[in-house]
């Protein structure tokens, strides 16, 4: 009766290279029957579950119901391996998170270190039980590195729904494949058919709810001029999950896109009304009715910034991470790694309002010296918000007041998102340390894990009793007692 | 730290019309004396207030070019009209007044990174001339001027392909201009006769397995080998830290153990050469110390150690009194025992990020941040921030230290910091 059709998945980081950039997301679980989200959350917290999309569920709130997850692990060196279930080979650079669904683990990467042919984007599928490679598909790079940076592969975290897996290729194609064998079902070349012009990376992580695929197309400002060449190209897209037919599209950011668009949508049912919110490259967050594409509300994430005398924005920060829906509220921060670091803004918004809600929807904001630019998804759990900023601070806030309760300096950048699972908060630093805290209003650092090789930007996720940590070259499945 | 290859040059300098103290010629190339980034100047301010500049002048266009100094003059590059034109500018040291400017049309596509620009490199100057590179996708012009701005010669080394534009500065050794041309296309290192621009030698370079990261941004340094010959030390992804003979271009050794783009220049730390690689995402940056004195591919035999914490991608490290000082792009400062790679300290510099390379003045480390602050740190076994002062504007350019003053090219200005 309550058959969860959309499963969880997880974070997508997007990278812009030469400077690459990364985004992440989360996901949540919903029912076709339209039960209130809160019911499902409660239900899911009691069960071992898949993690089929960025953030685990469509609400992108990275709270996992898994229990018995390891807080520490060891691998290689002089100490015996501990809590390692399996290790799977990825490519050379991996910026997205794995998703776990139906006994399979999916992740985007590039071609192997030993593969000396041209750089390519790769989507891999492993067996959840033992990490054996089930299938892999490749995407050639676009010739212009300003559209598809030469150093990266697939940076979109996939979304599994039903029998299919959905992701955005490095060529800005929205791709639907059979989860079982990777066979192509349909693909939309968003450049060729929609006039989309990507900027270095196509990293949006799709979201599938009620038979519709939602994605940020990634259309961008032109590198050479900084101007948007094709403002009519859609920024936000809804597609029929079975047929690949475009259901609706929206180009609201249009000519105001500052640099690029690398974010991912989030979904919630607020006061009984479903909505899907997209981060725009103009610094706004746009929320639509999923079935029709009718705008419900929009919020200017740059409202607190000054405009420079030249007329340019104070920063190029925008909403990059997927917005997180919890109850009637949306949590989201702004940032953009290539724009450098600076004062950011983490916001809690009232998602019940309609229209341009810039002046009225903000319930609280953490900014200035308290919170820098961020491309992480905040996570909300038991009245607390855990949020990371790019310079490398994990902060814990009171979800009602927005008051900062504690923070921790991980001493390197953070592009990944925190995961709350099993009474712990997991956060991965760009230098490969995975910090594990106890949840709570007081800071309690349990363990700093530094043993896994080649860990950089990444987000821990959990599914079916297993914790997944993503390195650039390997995916680690960790389980207690293994 | 030989500022002058020839004793004869000293004589020449001392007899030129502007009699200048030898010490005043210390910063003639990128990162000063042989690219070490180290100045022996005394009395340079550690902090200053907002009105503390000796002078601050606007520079037309935009650039990240470190100024170089000779006599009473500074020389630097800029890009005008959004990169459609490139210019070399000469300003007077005493007050920043522009003495001359030569500009050339050189249109090209915007580099694939807004942190890069069209004029990222420094000129190099000696007693007779100043030499600079003007590079687009279609041309790689090397041009020489006299100190009054008269063009002496020019040479086009051909096309240049690199996702993020051009960033390696020329250097001069024994009357020859050395230009590195490590790029995504056909690569080489070229030595040109400084008097005529004629090619003295051309040493071919591999473009590597991944052309996307082959373009390198290092300015070479020289190092005297045990056999008395002098080697050029370079960095590039294809060759890692590598050595070629400065007089012939003959290959000595390389260390292809860097799997990402190399931007920082090589430095010598005792009997080690230091190289680092990384990406703008900060993913997988690392630094390796390579033992000097090898032959052929030394990648499997001469790597002394590799560091993976808080290592810089763009800024070049400093070596001083047995310690390496690393200032990372993301704003972390570290001191490392150079011989062993052991971390002595590593601290966050709050609210700071860096593309500029640090310089060491009178035993203190000067770090110019992208946000427009000069952060000064103590050397030694204990981390200490000594001061933090405004540069008036952000910078990606490395400071020039000359005659007890610091000159910094910020995004659109040139500032002079001096003791009052």
């Amino acid at each position: 009766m309550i058959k969860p059709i959309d499963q969880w998945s997880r974070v997508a980081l997007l990278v812009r290279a030469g400077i690459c950039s990364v985004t992440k997301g989360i996901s949540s679980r919903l029912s076709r029957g339209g039960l209130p989200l809160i019911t499902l959350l409660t239900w899911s917290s009691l069960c071992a579950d898949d993690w089929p999309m960025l953030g685990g569920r469509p609400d992108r709130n990275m709270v996992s119901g898994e229990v018995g997850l390891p807080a520490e692990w060891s691998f290689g060196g002089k100490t015996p391996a501990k809590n390692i279930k399996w290790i799977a080979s990825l490519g050379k650079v991996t910026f997205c998170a794995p998703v776990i669904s139906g006994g399979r683990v999916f992740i985007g990467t590039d071609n192997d270190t030993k593969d000396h042919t041209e750089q390519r984007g790769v989507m891999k599928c492993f067996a959840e039980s033992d990490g054996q490679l089930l299938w892999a598909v490749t995407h050639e790079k676009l010739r212009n590195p300003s559209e598809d940076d030469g150093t990266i592969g697939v940076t979109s975290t996939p979304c599994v729904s039903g029998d299919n897996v959905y992701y955005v290729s490095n060529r800005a194609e929205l791709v639907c494949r059979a989860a079982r064998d990777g066979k192509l079902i349909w693909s939309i070349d968003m450049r060729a058919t929609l006039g989309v012009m990507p900027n270095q990376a196509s990293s949006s992580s799709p979201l599938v709810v009620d038979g519709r695929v939602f994605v940020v197309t990634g259309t961008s400002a032109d590198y050479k001029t900084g101007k948007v060449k094709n403002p009519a190209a859609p920024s936000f897209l809804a597609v029929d999950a079975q047929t690949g037919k475009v259901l609706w599209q929206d180009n609201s950011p249009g000519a105001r896109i500052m640099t690029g668009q690398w974010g991912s949508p989030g979904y919630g049912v607020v006061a009984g009304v479903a909505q899907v919110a997209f981060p725009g490259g103009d610094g706004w967050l746009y929320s639509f009715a999923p079935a029709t594409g009718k705008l419900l509300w929009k919020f200017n994430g740059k409202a607190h910034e000054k405009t420079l005398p030249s007329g340019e924005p104070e920063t190029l920060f925008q909403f990059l991470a997927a917005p997180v829906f919890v109850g009637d509220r949306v949590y989201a921060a702004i940032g953009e790694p290539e724009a450098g670091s600076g004062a950011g803004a983490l916001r809690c918004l009232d998602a019940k309002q309609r229209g341009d809600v810039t002046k009225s929807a903000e319930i609280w904001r953490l900014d200035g010296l308290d919170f820098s630019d961020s491309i992480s998804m905040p996570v909300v759990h038991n009245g607390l918000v855990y949020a990371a900023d790019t310079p490398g601070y994990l902060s814990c806030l009171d979800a009602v007041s927005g008051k900062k309760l504690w923070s921790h300096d991980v001493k390197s950048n953070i592009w990944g998102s925190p995961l709350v699972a099993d009474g712990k908060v997991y956060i991965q630093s760009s230098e490969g340390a995975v910090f594990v805290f106890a949840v709570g209003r007081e800071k309690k650092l349990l363990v700093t894990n530094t043993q896994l090789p080649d860990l950089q930007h990444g987000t821990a996720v959990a599914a079916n009793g297993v914790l997944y940590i993503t390195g650039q070259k390997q995916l680690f499945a960790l389980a207690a007692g293994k | 730290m030989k500022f002058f290859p020839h004793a004869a040059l000293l004589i020449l300098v001392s007899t030129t019309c502007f009699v200048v103290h030898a010490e005043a010629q210390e910063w003639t190339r990128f990162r000063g004396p042989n690219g070490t980034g180290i100045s022996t100047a005394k009395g340079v301010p550690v902090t200053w207030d907002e009105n503390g500049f000796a002078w601050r002048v606007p520079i037309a266009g935009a650039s990240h070019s470190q100024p170089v100094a000779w006599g009473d003059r500074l020389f630097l590059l800029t890009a005008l009209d959004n990169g459609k034109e490139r210019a070399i500018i000469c300003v007077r040291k005493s007050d920043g007044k522009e003495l001359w400017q030569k500009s050339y049309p050189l249109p090209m596509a915007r580099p694939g990174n807004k942190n890069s620009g069209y004029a990222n490199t420094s000129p190099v100057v000696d007693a007779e001339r100043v030499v600079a590179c003007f590079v687009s996708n279609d041309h790689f012009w090397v041009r020489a001027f006299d100190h009054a701005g008269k063009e002496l010669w020019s040479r086009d080394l051909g096309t240049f392909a690199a996702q993020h534009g051009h960033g390696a500065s020329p250097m001069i050794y024994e009357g020859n201009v050395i230009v590195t041309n490590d790029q995504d296309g056909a690569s080489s290192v070229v030595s040109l006769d400084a008097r005529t621009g004629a090619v003295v030698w051309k040493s071919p370079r591999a473009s590597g397995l991944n052309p996307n990261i082959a373009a390198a941004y290092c300015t070479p340094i020289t190092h005297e080998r045990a056999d008395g010959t002098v080697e050029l030390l370079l960095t590039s992804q294809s060759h890692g830290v590598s050595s070629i003979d400065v007089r012939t271009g003959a290959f000595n050794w390389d260390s292809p153990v860097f799997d990402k783009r190399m931007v920082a220049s090589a430095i010598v730390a005792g009997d080690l050469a230091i190289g680092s690689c990384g990406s703008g995402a900060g993913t997988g940056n690392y630094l390796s110390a390579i033992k000097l004195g090898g032959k052929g591919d030394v990648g499997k035999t001469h790597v002394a150690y590799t560091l993976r914490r808080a290592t810089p991608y763009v800024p070049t490290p400093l070596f001083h009194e047995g310690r390496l000082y690393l200032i990372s792009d993301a704003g972390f400062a570290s001191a490392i025992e150079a011989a062993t790679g052991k971390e002595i300290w590593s601290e966050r510099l709050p609210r700071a990020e860096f593309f500029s390379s640090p310089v060491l003045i009178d035993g203190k480390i000067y770090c110019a941040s992208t946000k427009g602050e000069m952060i000064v740190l103590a050397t030694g076994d204990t981390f200490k921030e000594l001061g933090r002062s405004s540069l008036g504007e952000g910078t990606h350019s490395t400071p020039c230290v000359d005659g007890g003053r610091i000159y910094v090219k910020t995004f659109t200005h040139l500032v002079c910091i001096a003791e009052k």
Side-chain angles (χ1 to χ4, degrees):
Chain A
M1 191 172 70
I2 299 174
K3 187 182 174 194
I5 51 162
D6 296 296
Q7 321 243 330
W8 315 36
S9 104
R10 144 226 222 233
V11 178
L13 273 187
L14 72 67
V15 177
R16 300 188 299 141
I19 295 197
C20 329
S21 86
V22 176
T23 20
K24 339 170 176 128
I26 323 180
S27 59
S28 63
R29 146 172 304 216
L30 269 213
S31 90
R32 195 189 288 273
L35 268 198
L37 190 59
I38 189 74
T39 307
L40 291 162
L41 284 172
T42 306
W43 178 77
S44 71
S45 67
L46 299 173
C47 309
D49 258 317
D50 283 353
W51 185 274
M53 67 187 77
L54 180 75
R57 300 180 300 270
D59 64 15
R60 309 292 200 190
N61 189 28
M62 293 219 2
V63 177
S64 163
E66 303 303 321
V67 295
L69 298 176
E72 57 189 324
W73 44 84
S74 59
F75 170 75
K78 289 171 186 168
T79 49
K82 180 183 170 192
N83 293 338
I84 307 279
K85 185 184 180 194
W86 51 255
I87 300 171
S89 288
L90 304 176
K92 302 178 289 293
V93 289
T94 307
F95 287 102
C96 41
V99 302
I100 300 94
S101 179
R104 302 182 189 91
V105 179
F106 305 83
I107 188 165
T109 183
D110 65 343
N111 43 330
D112 296 353
T113 307
K114 290 175 186 166
D115 179 351
H116 292 157
T117 60
E118 289 192 335
Q119 180 78 1
R120 274 163 293 157
V122 178
M123 177 58 61
K124 287 190 167 182
C125 174
F126 303 99
E128 185 184 9
S129 56
D130 60 5
Q132 288 299 304
L133 183 68
L134 299 177
W135 56 262
V137 293
T138 64
H139 298 269
E140 287 182 12
K141 299 290 285 181
L142 294 174
R143 289 179 64 183
N144 182 354
S146 68
E147 289 192 311
D148 183 9
D149 186 278
T151 64
I152 60 178
V154 171
T155 55
S156 155
T157 292
C159 178
V160 182
S161 179
D163 296 330
N164 300 339
V165 57
Y166 302 82
Y167 64 96
V168 178
S169 77
N170 50 287
R171 303 174 64 87
E173 300 152 318
L174 177 60
V175 179
C176 171
R177 293 183 183 277
R180 186 173 159 275
D181 55 11
K183 187 183 165 200
L184 185 68
I185 295 172
W186 55 258
S187 170
I188 300 173
D189 184 339
M190 295 189 285
R191 291 164 65 247
T193 63
L194 300 171
V196 163
M197 301 184 66
N199 182 340
Q200 297 176 81
S202 295
S203 57
S204 186
S205 299
L207 174 63
V208 186
V209 180
D210 291 337
R212 299 182 192 93
V213 187
F214 303 99
V215 72
V216 176
T217 64
T219 200
S220 297
D222 185 85
Y223 246 5
K224 299 181 178 72
T225 62
K227 307 279 186 210
V228 179
K229 263 192 183 169
N230 187 9
S235 290
F236 316 132
L237 208 59
V239 175
D240 185 291
Q242 289 305 318
T243 64
K245 182 188 163 203
V246 173
L247 299 173
W248 57 263
Q249 54 181 271
D250 184 277
N251 70 338
S252 293
R256 295 189 314 278
I257 297 168
M258 294 176 286
T259 51
Q261 301 194 106
W262 304 277
S264 303
Y267 179 99
V269 180
V270 177
V273 179
Q275 47 179 282
V276 57
F278 295 80
D282 54 353
W284 289 66
L285 191 57
Y286 296 88
S287 191
F288 301 90
T292 63
K294 183 191 167 211
L295 182 75
L296 299 176
W297 56 266
K298 59 181 180 179
F299 183 92
N300 180 6
K302 304 179 77 63
H304 64 296
E305 293 186 353
K306 300 184 201 91
T307 303
L308 300 180
S310 61
E312 294 180 351
E314 185 178 358
T315 72
L316 295 174
F317 298 160
Q318 53 169 297
F319 292 109
L320 254 185
V324 174
F325 281 83
V326 179
D328 294 344
R329 298 180 174 188
V330 168
Y331 299 81
I334 55 170
E336 207 279 65
E338 198 173 303
S341 213
L346 169 65
R347 289 184 169 92
C348 172
L349 304 177
D350 175 3
K352 295 191 303 295
Q353 300 187 12
R354 293 293 180 267
D356 180 346
V357 301
T358 304
K359 289 186 177 152
S360 57
E362 185 177 291
I363 295 165
W364 53 256
R365 178 174 91 221
L366 188 69
D367 62 7
L369 293 176
D370 291 322
F371 197 78
S372 293
D373 56 296
S374 168
I375 57 170
S376 294
M377 297 178 297
V379 55
V380 185
H381 176 256
N382 271 357
L384 300 176
V385 180
Y386 303 92
D389 61 17
T390 306
Y393 293 90
L394 176 72
S395 297
C396 173
L397 289 62
D398 184 294
V400 173
S401 67
K403 186 189 165 202
K404 192 194 274 194
L405 301 173
W406 55 265
S407 71
H408 187 80
D409 182 359
V410 308
K411 293 201 167 180
S412 70
N413 290 159
I414 300 175
W415 286 13
S417 298
L419 167 73
V420 170
D422 195 21
K424 301 185 266 292
V425 185
Y426 295 85
I427 185 76
Q428 182 171 330
S429 81
S430 64
E431 289 186 341
V434 180
F435 295 77
V436 186
F437 299 85
V439 294
R441 301 177 73 87
E442 265 109 54
K443 181 161 87 172
K444 188 177 176 192
L445 176 60
L446 300 174
V447 190
T448 304
N449 292 284
T450 57
Q451 280 215 345
L452 300 181
D454 294 320
L455 259 53
Q456 273 106 40
H457 301 306
T459 298
V461 303
N464 303 317
V466 176
L467 179 72
Y468 294 87
I469 301 290
T470 306
Q472 292 278 288
K473 296 169 184 165
Q474 289 170 300
L475 174 63
F476 302 91
L478 310 174
K482 296 290 175 181
Chain B
M1 274 221 288
K2 292 176 183 168
F3 303 168
F4 305 103
H6 285 159
L9 190 56
L10 272 174
I11 296 163
L12 180 67
V13 171
S14 62
T15 55
T16 46
C17 56
F18 32 32
V19 177
V20 285
H21 196 272
E23 194 179 63
Q25 310 306 326
E26 63 178 304
W27 220 268
T28 60
R29 52 156 284 164
F30 180 62
R31 297 189 76 245
N34 194 27
T36 58
I38 296 177
S39 165
T40 54
K42 307 277 185 196
V44 176
V46 173
T47 58
W48 49 90
D49 60 32
E50 282 186 15
N51 303 312
F53 302 132
W55 48 260
R56 178 175 188 255
V57 296
I59 298 291
S63 70
H64 308 313
S65 174
Q66 176 220 273
V68 295
W70 195 279
D72 64 349
R73 295 168 185 219
L74 298 168
F75 307 90
L76 71 160
L77 302 184
T78 191
L80 307 169
D81 194 14
N82 290 320
K84 293 192 187 72
E85 258 182 64
R86 315 297 169 79
I88 180 168
I89 294 177
C90 173
V91 303
R92 195 159 62 195
K93 265 189 201 167
S94 57
D95 58 3
K97 178 181 161 47
E98 182 177 311
L99 298 177
W100 54 263
Q101 177 188 130
K102 296 280 276 191
S103 69
Y104 299 86
L106 193 61
M108 69 173 278
R110 183 176 160 192
N113 180 339
K114 67 184 174 43
N115 291 318
S116 179
Y118 302 96
N120 305 315
T121 68
S122 301
V124 58
V125 60
D126 67 9
E128 293 156 77
R129 59 188 77 79
V130 53
V131 181
C133 298
F134 301 78
V135 182
S136 69
N137 300 128
D138 301 322
H139 298 282
F140 194 128
W141 288 106
V142 185
R143 290 192 171 97
F145 308 85
D146 67 18
H147 287 199
K150 182 188 165 197
E151 184 179 308
L152 302 174
W153 54 260
S154 67
R155 173 162 293 276
D156 186 0
L157 300 178
T159 58
F160 184 80
Q163 187 176 351
H164 302 306
H166 177 254
S169 303
M171 60 167 282
I172 294 179
Y173 184 82
E174 289 190 343
N176 292 332
V177 178
I178 312 286
V179 179
T180 63
N181 186 6
D182 279 309
Q183 53 159 304
D184 293 348
S187 297
S188 60
V189 181
V190 180
S191 177
L192 306 173
D193 186 326
R195 292 166 304 169
T196 64
V199 174
V200 178
W201 53 256
K202 181 175 178 181
S203 182
R205 302 272 283 176
S207 281
L209 295 171
N210 184 349
N212 297 296
I213 54 175
Y217 295 82
C218 102
T219 303
I221 59 172
T222 57
H223 173 252
E224 188 173 328
R225 288 158 62 87
D227 64 4
T229 62
V230 175
E231 62 188 344
L232 279 174
L233 295 174
L234 311 116
T235 62
S236 70
Q237 193 273 326
S238 307
H239 293 280
V241 180
S242 61
S243 161
I244 61 178
D245 187 280
V246 71
R247 292 192 180 89
T248 64
F251 171 82
N252 290 319
W253 56 266
D254 66 0
S255 54
V257 294
F258 297 88
D259 65 4
K260 297 181 182 64
R261 192 181 283 122
M262 296 186 83
V263 177
S265 299
I267 63 165
V268 170
D271 56 1
L272 301 170
I274 307 296
S276 59
C277 68
S279 69
T283 47
N285 292 5
Y286 62 88
L287 175 154
S288 289
I290 314 293
K291 289 176 210 156
L292 291 161
K295 192 176 177 188
D297 180 350
V298 304
K300 290 193 171 63
T301 55
H302 282 58
V303 178
Y305 57 82
T306 295
L307 307 179
R308 297 181 187 275
R309 256 229 79 236
T311 59
Y313 167 45
V314 176
T316 300
L318 290 165
F319 173 68
H320 179 66
E321 294 180 350
R323 298 179 199 87
L324 280 176
Y325 296 99
L326 315 179
I327 306 298
S328 79
D329 311 50
F332 292 86
S334 307
I336 307 292
E337 190 175 272
T340 63
K342 185 184 156 209
E343 182 181 295
I344 302 168
W345 47 260
S346 182
E347 298 289 337
R348 180 190 288 275
L349 302 177
R351 302 176 302 285
E353 295 176 300
F354 300 95
F355 291 116
S356 164
S357 295
V359 297
L360 197 142
I361 309 170
D362 194 18
K364 299 181 233 1
I365 304 161
Y366 285 69
C367 316
S369 84
T370 60
K371 298 192 189 339
E373 287 186 312
M374 185 73 91
I375 302 172
V376 184
L377 309 177
T379 53
D381 286 340
T382 309
F383 170 80
K384 189 175 180 195
E385 187 175 310
L386 301 172
R388 207 179 254 250
S389 309
S390 174
L391 292 169
E393 184 184 34
T395 181
H396 295 175
S397 172
T398 295
C400 161
V401 191
D402 181 280
R405 294 175 153 209
I406 305 175
Y407 303 92
V408 184
K409 173 66 176 64
T410 59
F411 295 147
T412 61
H413 284 71
L414 183 61
V415 299
C416 173
I417 296 143
E419 194 171 30
K420 284 189 176 170

